[in-house]
Amino acid sequence: MSAKRTGDGTTWQLQEAKARLSEVVQQALEGRPQVISRRGRDEVVVLRRSDYESALHPKETLVELFRPIRGTGVRFERRKDASRGFEF
């Protein structure tokens, strides 16, 4: 097998993934994202539809993410020396 197992899934060379697509899909359905590489570069990830939807639509907004620290005295200050340049 030319697939390389990692902690969170498996990396497949494109030709091997094509030949063993059913296995690639089954592993993704079991919650293990499958990475497909082409010409030595990781190019594509196969994952469950529910995982894809979760990534597209996070359950909380940025405001909701920071809400628990409200009232704790934690303060964020903007650095005055770090400007971002832009042109119109």
Side-chain angles (χ1 to χ4, degrees):
M1 173 166 99
S2 61
K4 175 177 56 174
R5 299 206 186 279
T6 62
D8 58 352
T10 303
T11 300
W12 302 83
Q13 293 176 1
L14 179 60
Q15 287 302 107
E16 186 76 10
K18 286 167 48 174
R20 299 173 67 182
L21 183 59
S22 292
E23 184 179 346
V24 172
V25 169
Q26 184 60 42
Q27 288 187 34
L29 289 172
E30 292 171 2
R32 296 186 306 269
Q34 304 297 295
V35 177
I36 299 175
S37 66
R38 184 173 66 166
R39 297 185 193 113
R41 293 183 50 197
D42 294 348
E43 298 284 356
V44 176
V45 178
V46 179
L47 60 146
R48 289 185 296 208
R49 174 75 185 217
S50 60
D51 293 339
Y52 171 73
E53 292 294 332
S54 292
L56 282 181
H57 308 289
K59 293 182 178 160
E60 56 188 355
T61 65
L62 189 58
V63 170
E64 293 167 335
L65 178 67
F66 284 107
R67 187 168 285 139
I69 63 170
R70 189 174 187 167
T72 63
V74 174
R75 296 182 53 94
F76 296 97
E77 294 182 22
R78 183 175 179 174
R79 290 179 50 186
K80 296 186 188 236
D81 63 335
S83 64
R84 295 176 286 181
F86 62 93
E87 293 183 27
F88 288 101

